[in-house]
Amino acid sequence: MMVCSAFIRAAHEHTFLVRNISHVFRCHQHQAWGSRPAASQFAAQGAPGSVVELLGKSYPQDDHTNLTPKVLSKVGRNLHNQKYHPLWLIKERVKEHFYRQYMGRPRTPLFSVYDQLPPVVTTWQNFDSLLIPADHPSRKKGDNYYLNRVHMLRAHTSAHQWDLLHAGLNAFLVVGDVYRRDQIDSQHYPVFHQLEGVRLFSKHELFAGVKDGESLKLFEESSRSVHKQETHTMEAVKLVEFDLKQVLTRLMTHLFGDGLEVRWVDCYFPFTHPSFELEIKFGGEWIEVLGCGVMEQQLVNSAGAQDRIGWAFGLGLERLAMILYDIPDIRLFWSEDERFLEQFHLSDINQRVQFQPLSKYPAVFNDISFWLPSENYMENDFYDIVRTVGGDLVEKVDLIDKFEHPNCLFPAFYEGRIPSPPHSRTHTSPPHSRLHPVTSTQQTPSRHLLTADSIPSPPHSRLHPVTSSQQTPSRHLLTADSIPSPPHSRLHPVTSTQQTPSRHLHTAGPITGWHLALPQILKCLLQVMAQLNLGDNWV
């Protein structure tokens, strides 16, 4: 009964989600630091007069609103401020290093730290203040979480740069959760955490230790090159760049230990030039850990610091924690299992610790197929559905194939899905499920095909498609029967008697699972679908 009740609730929620998403489909990156980590209804497109309630404030919805309950449930969690959480440990280690290494004149820390700034920002803060053009692809609705056209969940901690500079700060660290609509895998999650650092120098501060420094200048009128901006002197840029690289090399050595090999790679960010990525050699491989550069002087000037030049950097806390603590999957940071959290309850924040897996359940492989609308489809919309329905059990979503029937008029979705495991079972490396969507570039509705393969523990069941001989779009039914052995199960895509056969796709990905209960669960699901009378657009 508990299993059936769970499926009834899941089916109701899933019906509501997909209907709202399909309505959006019918109606209607910016590269950042350290990249490659409570609403009750799905706000796919805001109805007139409706609002999003978040952190005690109300935001009117409009055609840009695209938040999901899954994402909104993470707002306010602030894992970086949760004591003894691995992200908190990384933050505290960075903080401690900057406090000890860099002191102001009265022997107080030079860098101030801001780790409780609200994640809701304006699009001006997130983009315009950082000189990101209005037509830049990073602003796309498909890549960000918008409350409305004016407000959004910050996509990077750089969204606070201009405000803090405008307040008169010359050296600060910002730590916070950031939000991006992205692919799904063990390294990417719609919410992750960044740490941002900024340092400005006056002429006296920058040239204080340089012989005849009084004769040197910060600014000049020249041309932009790969080495500097048009307003900076070469002497100023080289000193800022040297200081930046020295600061970050010391930080990485503090975190990873002496003897660490590092290298710098030229790259591009809209708000710094020249720009670099720092890579470290760890475990025999080169790993990118942060982005940095000399701040664009136009940004500094607009914030009221025209007499200063500076650098900025940003790093992902999850990236560092996964490397330092050998954490295999980014979803584990959101676990509330004490067996996970207790591993990081350390007496010394600099103590070395290695994550120990909590579960060794075998994997299950799942695929999914469904019909797409003919226009306004974005893959990230589908990823949000998967996150909302499958939660943190989904390990990856991959496009594996695409198919379109030449005479297809179906506007419906088809989905095959194996139930996810209880949340009390924490996952290992990685014990999750992969859903593989299939998209199409065709103009008419295309079909997503998906199969489920390899459930390694008996007993299991098989899903058998029931075909239809009707010429018009018909309702497809699934039947289930128990099979005590062999220890394997497959989901077969629904086919019809139309001229072109649908394609059967095989993909892989792990999930821990209710193996013994699967036949009964499937029967309950079929009963639920019949009771809900989902209609011709559902199978």
Side-chain angles (χ1 to χ4, degrees):
M1 287 301 296
M2 293 178 62
V3 173
C4 287
S5 297
F7 264 97
I8 291 173
R9 290 193 299 271
H12 276 293
E13 180 182 13
H14 183 253
T15 301
F16 174 73
L17 287 169
V18 179
R19 283 176 179 167
N20 275 274
I21 283 292
S22 61
H23 172 69
V24 176
F25 293 160
R26 289 191 298 267
C27 298
H28 116 221
Q29 171 158 42
H30 154 69
Q31 189 178 14
W33 301 129
S35 62
R36 348 227 168 20
S40 60
Q41 294 191 3
F42 185 83
Q45 179 169 337
S50 58
V51 298
V52 176
E53 299 286 345
L54 186 59
L55 300 178
K57 295 184 178 181
S58 299
Y59 301 91
Q61 299 184 30
D62 58 25
D63 60 346
H64 254 53
T65 306
N66 63 352
L67 298 172
T68 67
K70 179 68 177 178
V71 170
L72 290 179
S73 68
K74 306 298 184 184
V75 178
R77 287 284 300 275
N78 297 327
L79 300 182
H80 60 286
N81 290 332
Q82 181 179 323
K83 195 170 183 179
Y84 299 119
H85 191 279
L87 298 182
W88 176 86
L89 289 174
I90 298 293
K91 181 197 75 171
E92 291 299 311
R93 293 185 66 185
V94 174
K95 244 172 68 175
E96 179 191 61
H97 174 75
F98 274 88
Y99 280 175
R100 289 184 176 181
Q101 290 290 321
Y102 308 101
M103 306 295 291
R105 283 187 176 179
R107 305 306 298 168
T108 58
L110 177 65
F111 286 82
S112 52
V113 178
Y114 298 87
D115 58 8
Q116 298 189 50
L117 298 176
V120 178
V121 298
T122 64
T123 53
W124 186 90
Q125 289 174 300
N126 200 79
F127 299 119
D128 300 274
S129 71
L130 296 168
L131 311 179
I132 299 172
D135 59 351
H136 197 278
S138 67
R139 295 177 179 253
K140 289 190 303 183
K141 181 179 173 182
D143 291 342
N144 301 283
Y145 287 105
Y146 285 93
L147 282 76
N148 50 44
R149 285 185 173 271
V150 178
H151 295 91
M152 63 184 298
L153 296 177
R154 62 189 169 207
H156 42 202
T157 48
S158 304
H160 301 288
Q161 238 182 58
W162 190 93
D163 293 310
L164 295 174
L165 291 174
H166 190 65
L169 297 177
N170 294 318
F172 55 84
L173 303 176
V174 179
V175 192
D177 46 344
V178 298
Y179 301 78
R180 300 202 201 136
R181 304 182 77 193
D182 204 347
Q183 67 191 72
I184 300 176
D185 59 36
S186 60
Q187 304 295 317
H188 296 83
Y189 198 75
V191 191
F192 56 103
H193 298 75
Q194 286 186 334
L195 186 148
E196 177 110 357
V198 170
R199 173 79 191 275
L200 296 185
F201 300 88
S202 65
K203 175 183 175 181
H204 172 74
E205 290 171 328
L206 189 61
F207 298 133
V210 179
K211 184 179 180 179
D212 298 326
E214 290 298 321
S215 63
L216 300 177
K217 298 180 180 180
L218 294 179
F219 308 110
E220 68 178 9
E221 292 296 330
S222 61
S223 58
R224 178 174 290 239
S225 70
V226 294
H227 303 292
K228 73 179 197 71
Q229 299 171 36
E230 59 273 20
T231 58
H232 294 159
T233 65
M234 185 61 74
E235 296 83 2
V237 169
K238 288 304 179 183
L239 284 173
V240 171
E241 181 181 325
F242 175 80
D243 185 81
L244 169 64
K245 292 181 176 180
Q246 188 179 55
V247 165
L248 295 177
T249 300
R250 287 175 179 170
L251 174 61
M252 291 300 112
T253 301
H254 169 69
L255 293 175
F256 291 92
D258 295 331
L260 180 71
E261 292 186 61
V262 303
R263 70 182 183 188
W264 300 92
V265 179
D266 293 337
C267 65
Y268 167 79
F269 299 111
F271 33 79
T272 57
H273 181 78
S275 301
F276 315 96
E277 287 179 345
L278 172 60
E279 296 182 352
I280 64 171
K281 195 168 189 179
F282 191 82
E285 297 182 358
W286 286 103
I287 304 173
E288 182 257 310
V289 291
L290 59 83
C292 61
V294 179
M295 297 182 68
E296 282 285 352
Q297 195 60 37
Q298 182 182 343
L299 189 163
V300 177
N301 292 348
S302 67
Q306 298 91 334
D307 61 337
R308 297 176 182 267
I309 184 175
W311 53 248
F313 75 87
L315 55 84
L317 294 182
E318 281 88 348
R319 171 74 56 89
L320 289 181
M322 292 174 78
I323 299 171
L324 279 168
Y325 303 138
D326 198 23
I327 297 174
D329 195 294
I330 195 171
R331 276 157 299 239
L332 285 166
F333 292 107
W334 296 93
S335 173
E336 296 182 355
D337 193 319
E338 285 301 319
R339 295 173 298 167
F340 172 76
L341 298 175
E342 285 178 355
Q343 295 187 38
F344 304 95
H345 199 285
L346 309 177
S347 57
D348 180 359
I349 60 174
N350 293 307
Q351 179 181 338
R352 294 194 177 276
V353 60
Q354 185 176 28
F355 167 72
Q356 298 300 317
L358 309 180
S359 172
K360 296 186 181 298
Y361 288 94
V364 170
F365 300 85
N366 298 283
D367 292 341
I368 185 170
S369 63
F370 54 89
W371 296 98
L372 285 182
S374 58
E375 57 186 14
N376 295 331
Y377 170 76
M378 292 181 288
E379 286 191 16
N380 282 333
D381 290 330
F382 177 73
Y383 295 156
D384 280 337
I385 296 177
V386 174
R387 289 189 183 104
T388 303
V389 175
D392 294 345
L393 303 177
V394 179
E395 194 267 328
K396 190 174 183 179
V397 174
D398 279 332
L399 172 65
I400 56 172
D401 200 0
K402 54 189 177 183
F403 170 79
E404 180 179 354
H405 192 282
N407 300 321
C408 174
L409 298 175
F410 282 24
F413 292 80
Y414 167 72
E415 178 176 349
R417 182 163 57 93
I418 293 180
S420 49
H423 289 287
S424 60
R425 292 184 177 178
T426 307
H427 312 106
T428 59
S429 53
H432 302 296
S433 166
R434 298 189 179 186
L435 296 179
H436 304 267
V438 180
T439 59
S440 171
T441 58
Q442 309 278 351
Q443 295 301 312
T444 56
S446 60
R447 188 173 188 178
H448 275 304
L449 300 179
L450 163 164
T451 66
D453 225 26
S454 182
I455 301 176
S457 298
H460 295 302
S461 69
R462 296 178 183 266
L463 291 182
H464 304 282
V466 177
T467 59
S468 171
S469 59
Q470 298 179 14
Q471 297 302 315
T472 57
S474 60
R475 182 176 182 183
H476 291 291
L477 303 177
L478 296 177
T479 63
D481 57 330
S482 298
I483 298 179
S485 63
H488 190 268
S489 173
R490 295 177 183 268
L491 287 180
H492 304 276
V494 175
T495 59
S496 72
T497 57
Q498 300 181 25
Q499 295 301 313
T500 305
S502 58
R503 299 165 71 180
H504 193 151
L505 309 177
H506 295 271
T507 60
I511 186 174
T512 66
W514 292 329
H515 299 151
L516 300 179
L518 186 57
Q520 292 78 11
I521 291 171
L522 293 172
K523 289 182 179 180
C524 289
L525 180 57
L526 294 173
Q527 295 172 5
V528 169
M529 294 168 66
Q531 292 173 11
L532 292 177
N533 191 22
L534 296 180
D536 289 342
N537 288 343
W538 297 83
V539 294

